[in-house]
Amino acid sequence: MEEKMKLTMDKLVNLCKARGLIFPGSDIYGGMGNTWDYGPVGVELKNNIKRAWWKRFVQENPNAYGVDAAILMNPRVWDASGHTQSFADPKMDCRSCKQRFRADNLIEAHSKGNQSAEAMTTQEMEEYISQNKVKCPHCGNFNWTPIRQFKLMFETSRGTVEGEKDVVYLRPETAQGEYVNFLNVQRSMRAKVPFAIAQIGKAFRNEITPGNFIFRTIEFEQMELQNFCKEESSFALYEEFKQRSKQFLLDLGFSEQHLRFHDHEKLAFYAKAACDIQFFSPLGWEELNGIHHRSAHDLTRHQEFSGKNLQYVDPVTNEKYLPNVIEYSIGCDRLVLAVLTEAYDEEQLENGETRVVMHFHPALAPFKVAVLPLQKNLSDKAKEVYAMLCKEFRCDYDEAGSIGKRYRRQDEIGTPFCVTIDFDTLEDGTVTIRHRDTMAQERLKIEELVPYISAKIKF
Ligand code: ATP
């Protein structure tokens, strides 16, 4: 794990801002807590992550169907899902400095992860904090309010006629958009159970916990798959998704030792099993995704609250039933953070300099290739090569500064290939291609570049 220790959250935040990956939200106004904007480089990385996920779980899965459901839903949806009643965090305020914290996070941080607060009642959490004299991480005082439940859903209002307003919610999760479309998807696509509905979309939570960069934000994207299946096959599917979701991360380049399963100690009353995959980051071990066996709870509740029969009719046996759901959900922004921390490296070079390099999987790299003329008077030829390559890949072009500095800039944003145009290029139509990870260089013909790079960036 030592190599991960080189990276602190501050270093990462600074690098992301300096290199156009991620900026603080509303930056010129002093920011707004827990909001971040993706810059020109970051948006490419995030889109590539979404593409890789969609390819793996939708495109390569004949039983998966994508949707893009509305963010604002009929408020009854949130009654059925239980969110209006109980989607809340246990908060405590420090009476001295007025900062607000989640009681469960205070306990877990105080015990350095040795005490899980997952299964604790409010009273047990208060007792732990009092007996262990857990102090405010901000001002160091021990002066807490009692725990209160803090609602996590953002409310807004919809006016149909002037003066008449209805409360609507910004969705706190994307899953309900898949559940309410269960029959629409099943019938329109003639889908047979088991099948999955997939979605990538924004969710909003009025989270108390301060920052930690994009790990926990109030607006974030989820990528998820709701698998509808028969009860008999549900546990096998649950196990399968634990493995498939881990394999996806390994294939993106995560090292096995930076990932681990965490089985939930406390299950929701309807759940039959639940686990997370955690990743090792500068924050310690943190949840990256969840795999949940949700029984037939969701469709049962929507059937009850909507009054619509949501039963699936088996086309062969005519059996009618509400399927079980195995949910696989991963935060896209959290995966961006995990990819950034996993890819980051600082290398000592022979000349004594330190090279910061992002070892992104080439399929995720924001730019696949950068075109660099050795000197400015080679820029016409370089722009010709750039014009050819940018039809195929997201490319960068840079003619400012020494070639060494330009390589370093590309290393910091993880560009897997740099193509250098020199005077020999004008003579024989060859270029130097430099590899990010090894810094090795080789000579290729210009017309070989597209097939060469295409073969190396596949996921
Ligand atoms: P946590 O325990 O971290 O609050 P959760 O268990 O409430 O997360 P789920 O509701 O299962 O999370 O959401 C699925 C995934 O969405 C999480 O595994 C995480 O990757 C992501 N996620 C949840 N909340 C946030 C957030 N506030 N900011 C960024 N990503 C989030």
Side-chain angles (χ1 to χ4, degrees), residues 368-372 381-390 392-393 395 416-421 425 429-435 442-457:
K368 306 303 178 211
V369 51
V371 178
L372 316 172
K381 188 68 188 170
K383 281 178 183 162
E384 230 177 75
V385 174
Y386 173 81
M388 175 191 85
L389 292 176
C390 74
E392 307 294 330
F393 323 107
C395 297
F417 302 106
C418 286
V419 165
T420 315
I421 312 296
T425 313
T430 63
V431 294
T432 300
I433 187 160
R434 177 220 187 231
H435 296 252
E442 57 186 308
R443 206 77 197 166
L444 287 185
K445 291 207 178 100
I446 290 174
E447 58 272 24
E448 288 171 336
L449 284 173
V450 170
Y452 183 90
I453 297 169
S454 302
K456 299 227 183 285
I457 61 170

Side-chain angles (χ1 to χ4, degrees), residues 118-135:
E118 205 173 276
M120 283 180 159
T121 62
T122 301
Q123 197 188 342
E124 284 164 351
M125 285 194 276
E126 280 180 342
E127 276 167 16
Y128 181 98
I129 287 170
S130 147
Q131 280 162 11
N132 291 280
K133 287 265 175 298
V134 178
K135 293 196 179 119

Side-chain angles (χ1 to χ4, degrees), residues 38-57:
Y38 287 84
V41 181
V43 74
E44 301 292 340
L45 174 65
K46 191 173 179 188
N47 283 341
N48 291 338
I49 287 177
K50 289 194 263 189
R51 240 176 252 133
W53 186 88
W54 196 264
K55 178 168 186 284
R56 174 62 57 91
F57 291 101

Side-chain angles (χ1 to χ4, degrees), residues 205 207 215-217 220 222 287-289 292 329 331 334:
R205 294 183 190 176
E207 301 268 12
F215 176 77
R216 188 180 302 285
T217 48
F220 56 98
Q222 291 183 312
E287 172 181 335
L288 178 54
N289 73 8
H292 301 144
S329 176
R334 216 172 264 186

